């Protein structure tokens, strides 16, 4: 008897989970800086073009694969063509590696949340008075001089990591019904906190100059191809594409659920959060610049530097008493945690769905094993040299791993989809649609998408999947590789990382996930009822 | 803020808020129509 697949409680639960997965730390700490660095307000033009020509089309592909084939990324690609299963596993492996270090960043946030709350009783946050840099790199991370000095484990971060993985296990081990309930809290909560921080931010002195800095357009930047590559990169990385997450989430939707409108809602919500986060960040940066008497560009930062150094510094400078500084700081780090947790558990859910679909083992056991392994793998990033390892792994996983997976998805769906076996399956289930269908290309998937969705996609979708998105992703990968050949990967200005670190944690890890993808493909799985239909 | 900054602010709000609102309206209307036809979320094709 065929196993009944678990279902989301409602369409809203699915959309909220997908938004939770897409909206993460990058929306707050990456987008505002990328926007400023690539033409300010003018960046919105390539950003929206990228959203419509790459982000949404590729999200439709991932939703369509999940809804159509009712399986994880690996299982869906296996059904596209038996030889493509490795691509699904590759996506899941890349995502898993990212989750290992993403959870470490959340561990830092736990530590800062603890320090913020504790400061109510100790009389002030430890990063007050321009000590944030020292507090982060020395006090919290115990950062060594280079990747060669591993040092020991930083125990408070290990504790935070354990808490993060326990949370992930608790949320996902019961299946997507519990996930659907949790995201009703973890998706609106950071948005509410962003609104509170926005109100506090725009009422500060100097906020207007910061926001003006963020929005003032430099239209000359639009002639620079790198600005366009940055826009496509930001869209691609911030929508959770290429992880296999969205395929897994969509696989828990009924078979004739909407696809296109869900993709539009998820994408617009994600980009709106990024756009709004820019005001929160730049209003406070404007205040900080005003306090220091320097131009806004002198206090700019992105990534962990923004979240754990610049922003806390600015909060600590607001004249509102230690208690309120502690509250605002705690709210900020709670926002980071709630932003991060649904992205983190969605990545793990993608892998758990993959393993469950393949091996038919108990879901709770798979979850426990995956979370334990994730915790153990993440320990390497909790050492004194952890930040260096995280930086290298993140660069290779995002710039090469995710981008290559996305490129391959476009090629497989755009150019190889429509094999003889799949057409037979398609015609058996929907003879009325397959009548007169072209013999290859993404057309069959498009017909399916249009049949089940609130509104239809047309020729533009084929063009984006077959030409635009793969073209831009290829361009981005080549540009990144040329930059690497020119100057290596830099630890600091003019100082490249040692070769062994780049080979081991960069190229080595990127290669290992491909090999693991192939290994999982050849492993013999449990009985897959989908195979009977397809053969 | 400069005029250019205001224009880009309006552009961003128009595209994102307008786009999201339009999609949500379509989703709500479609779901309401399906409900009136007696098709629930879990009835959508789980044959």
């Amino acid at each position: 008897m065929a196993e009944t697949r678990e279902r989301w409680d409602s369409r809203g639960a699915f959309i909220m989970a997908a938004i939770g997965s897409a909206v993460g730390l990058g929306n707050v700490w990456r987008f505002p800086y990328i926007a400023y660095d690539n033409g300010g307000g003018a960046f919105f033009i390539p950003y929206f073009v990228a959203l419509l020509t790459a982000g949404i089309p590729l999200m439709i592909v991932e939703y369509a694969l999940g809804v159509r084939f009712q399986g994880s990324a690996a299982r869906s690609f296996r059904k596209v063509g038996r030889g493509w299963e490795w691509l699904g596993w590759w996506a899941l492996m890349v995502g898993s590696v990212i989750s290992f270090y993403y959870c470490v960043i959340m561990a830092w946030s736990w530590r800062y949340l603890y320090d913020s709350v504790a400061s109510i009783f100790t009389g002030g946050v430890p990063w007050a008075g321009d000590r944030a840099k020292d507090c982060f790199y020395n006090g919290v991370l115990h950062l060594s001089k280079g990747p060669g000095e591993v040092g020991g484990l930083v125990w408070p971060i290990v504790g935070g990591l354990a808490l993060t993985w326990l949370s992930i296990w608790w949320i996902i081990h019961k299946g997507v019904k519990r996930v659907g309930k949790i995201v009703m809290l973890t998706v609106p909560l950071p948005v509410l906190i962003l609104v509170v921080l926005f109100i506090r931010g725009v009422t500060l002195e100097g906020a207007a100059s910061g926001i003006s800095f963020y929005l003032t357009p430099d239209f000359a930047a639009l002639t620079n191809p790198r600005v366009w590559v940055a826009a496509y990169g930001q869209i691609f990385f911030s929508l959770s594409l290429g992880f296999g997450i969205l395929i897994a989430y969509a696989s828990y939707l009924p078979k004739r659920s909407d696809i296109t409108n869900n993709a539009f809602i998820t994408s617009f919500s994600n980009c709106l959060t990024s756009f709004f986060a820019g005001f929160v960040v730049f209003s406070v940066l404007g205040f900080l610049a005003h306090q220091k008497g320097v131009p806004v560009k002198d206090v700019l930062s992105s990534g962990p530097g923004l979240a754990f150094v610049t922003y806390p510094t600015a909060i600590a400078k607001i004249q509102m008493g230690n208690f309120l500084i502690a509250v605002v700081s705690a709210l900020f780090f709670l926002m980071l945690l709630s932003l991060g947790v649904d992205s983190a558990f969605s990545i793990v859910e993608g892998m758990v769905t993959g393993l469950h679909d393949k091996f038919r083992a108990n879901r709770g056991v798979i979850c426990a094993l995956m979370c334990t392994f994730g915790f153990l793998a993440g320990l390497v990033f909790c050492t004194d040299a952890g930040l260096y390892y995280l930086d290298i792994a993140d660069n290779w996983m995002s710039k090469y791993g995710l981008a290559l997976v996305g490129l391959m998805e476009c090629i497989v769906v755009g150019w190889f989809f429509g094999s003889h076996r799949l057409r037979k399956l398609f015609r058996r289930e929907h003879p009325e649609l397959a009548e007169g269908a072209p013999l290859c290309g993404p057309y069959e998937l498009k017909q399916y998408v249009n049949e089940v969705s609130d509104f239809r996609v047309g020729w533009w979708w084929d063009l984006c999947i077959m030409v635009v998105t793969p073209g831009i992703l290829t361009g981005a990968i080549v540009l990144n590789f040329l930059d690497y050949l020119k100057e290596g990967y830099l630890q600091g200005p003019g100082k490249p990382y040692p070769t062994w670190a780049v080979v081991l944690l960069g190229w080595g890890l990127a290669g290992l996930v491909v090999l693991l993808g192939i290994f999982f493909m050849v492993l013999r799985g449990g009985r897959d009822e989908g195979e009977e239909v397809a053969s | 803020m400069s005029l250019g900054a205001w224009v880009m602010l309006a552009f961003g709000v128009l595209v994102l808020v307008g786009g999201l609102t339009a999609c949500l309206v379509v989703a709500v209307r479609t779901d309401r129509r399906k409900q009136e036809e007696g098709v629930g979320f879990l009835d959508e094709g789980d044959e």
Side-chain angles (χ1 to χ4, degrees), chain A residues 206-226:
Chain A
S209 64
I211 291 172
S212 176
F213 202 75
Y214 169 49
L215 291 175
T216 301
D218 169 17
F219 289 111
L222 299 183
T223 57
N224 183 353
R226 282 183 183 273

Side-chain angles (χ1 to χ4, degrees), chain A residues 7-11 14 41-42 44-45 47-48 51 70 177 208 211-212 215-217 219 252-258 261 264-265 268-269 271-272 275 279 452 454-455, chain B residues 1-31 33-34 40-47:
Chain A
R7 297 287 177 222
W8 296 101
D9 279 333
S10 64
R11 181 179 180 180
F14 164 74
F44 300 148
I45 294 170
Y47 183 68
F48 294 144
L51 172 68
Q70 298 284 296
K177 287 208 185 296
I211 291 172
S212 176
L215 291 175
T216 301
F219 289 111
Y252 296 111
L253 284 169
K255 273 182 109 172
R256 298 191 65 82
S257 301
D258 169 84
N261 201 10
F264 272 83
I265 292 171
F268 277 130
S269 303
C271 294
L272 188 58
F275 181 64
F279 291 88
V452 299
D454 290 353
F455 52 82
Chain B
M1 288 207 304
S2 65
L3 177 66
W6 281 110
V7 169
M8 295 322 292
L9 171 64
F11 174 65
V13 171
L14 193 71
V15 172
L16 291 173
V17 177
L20 181 59
T21 308
C23 292
L24 287 173
V25 167
V26 172
V28 169
R29 281 187 178 174
T30 311
D31 288 352
R33 180 175 52 77
K34 282 182 181 172
F41 171 70
L42 294 176
D43 306 322
E44 291 179 329
D46 272 359
E47 50 290 86

Side-chain angles (χ1 to χ4, degrees), chain A residues 187-475:
Chain A
V187 173
L189 181 66
V191 177
L192 276 175
I193 298 176
L194 272 175
V195 171
V196 172
L197 294 175
F198 169 76
I199 293 168
R200 179 65 270 208
V202 294
T203 52
L204 293 168
E205 228 174 336
S209 64
I211 291 172
S212 176
F213 202 75
Y214 169 49
L215 291 175
T216 301
D218 169 17
F219 289 111
L222 299 183
T223 57
N224 183 353
R226 282 183 183 273
V227 170
W228 288 83
V229 168
Y232 276 85
Q234 176 61 24
I235 280 291
F236 185 77
F237 299 131
S238 77
L239 286 176
S240 290
L241 299 167
F243 289 87
I245 300 167
L246 300 178
I247 299 177
Y249 270 7
S251 75
Y252 296 111
L253 284 169
K255 273 182 109 172
R256 298 191 65 82
S257 301
D258 169 84
I259 291 168
T260 50
N261 201 10
N262 287 347
F264 272 83
I265 292 171
T266 313
S267 306
F268 277 130
S269 303
N270 173 70
C271 294
L272 188 58
T273 310
S274 295
F275 181 64
F276 184 61
F279 291 88
V280 177
V281 168
F282 273 91
S283 59
V284 168
L285 290 183
F287 163 73
L288 186 61
H290 181 265
Q291 287 287 306
K292 291 187 167 183
V294 296
V296 179
K297 68 179 171 52
D298 287 0
V299 297
L300 268 178
S301 58
S302 69
L306 173 72
F308 298 102
V309 178
T310 312
Y311 205 91
T313 302
I315 293 173
K317 281 187 180 295
I318 303 174
Q319 299 294 318
M320 56 182 178
N322 283 338
F323 177 74
L324 281 177
I325 286 175
V327 170
V328 175
S329 300
L331 277 177
F332 177 71
F333 293 112
L334 184 63
M335 180 196 70
L336 290 187
L337 280 169
S338 52
L339 275 177
V341 73
D342 33 25
S343 301
F345 70 65
S346 68
I347 301 175
V348 184
E349 174 62 49
M351 189 62 174
V352 168
T353 302
L355 294 170
H356 180 64
D357 284 351
K358 173 97 181 180
F359 300 107
R360 299 282 157 199
N362 181 286
R363 186 189 161 88
V365 173
I366 294 175
C367 266
L369 287 174
M370 183 66 203
C371 292
T372 308
F373 184 75
F375 169 72
L376 293 174
L379 288 178
V380 72
F381 303 109
C382 299
T383 56
D384 291 356
L387 184 63
Y388 301 119
Y389 303 150
L390 191 156
D391 183 38
I392 298 170
D394 180 49
N395 185 68
W396 261 262
M397 285 299 116
S398 55
K399 284 187 179 168
Y400 299 102
L402 286 179
L404 279 168
V405 169
L407 175 63
M408 288 299 297
E409 275 186 6
C410 291
I411 291 172
V412 170
V413 172
W415 296 94
F416 289 95
F417 190 79
S419 67
H420 179 66
R421 196 163 64 91
L422 188 66
R423 277 198 304 279
K424 271 170 56 181
L425 163 67
F426 182 76
R427 287 183 174 146
R428 191 179 303 166
E429 288 189 9
H430 301 288
E432 77 287 359
L433 294 176
E435 201 59 43
L439 293 179
C440 63
Y443 308 106
E444 291 183 21
L445 196 65
K446 185 172 80 179
Q447 281 185 310
Y448 182 75
V449 166
N450 285 337
E451 171 69 11
V452 299
S453 295
D454 290 353
F455 52 82
R456 299 167 66 86
V457 290
W459 59 269
W460 64 271
W461 187 69
D462 305 331
L463 184 71
C464 292
I465 292 305
M466 295 174 80
V467 182
V468 179
T469 311
I472 293 283
L473 283 174
T474 305

Side-chain angles (χ1 to χ4, degrees), chain A residues 82-99:
Chain A
R82 197 178 282 268
W84 292 116
E85 185 184 342
W86 67 275
L87 177 56
W89 284 114
W90 184 19
L92 296 175
M93 293 294 165
V94 170
S96 296
V97 172
I98 290 174
S99 73

Side-chain angles (χ1 to χ4, degrees), chain A residues 99-117:
Chain A
S99 73
F100 300 156
Y101 59 75
Y102 198 84
C103 290
V104 175
I105 297 170
M106 291 178 63
W108 303 344
S109 305
W110 280 116
R111 169 67 198 267
Y112 271 80
L113 179 63
Y114 171 81
D115 283 346
S116 303
V117 175

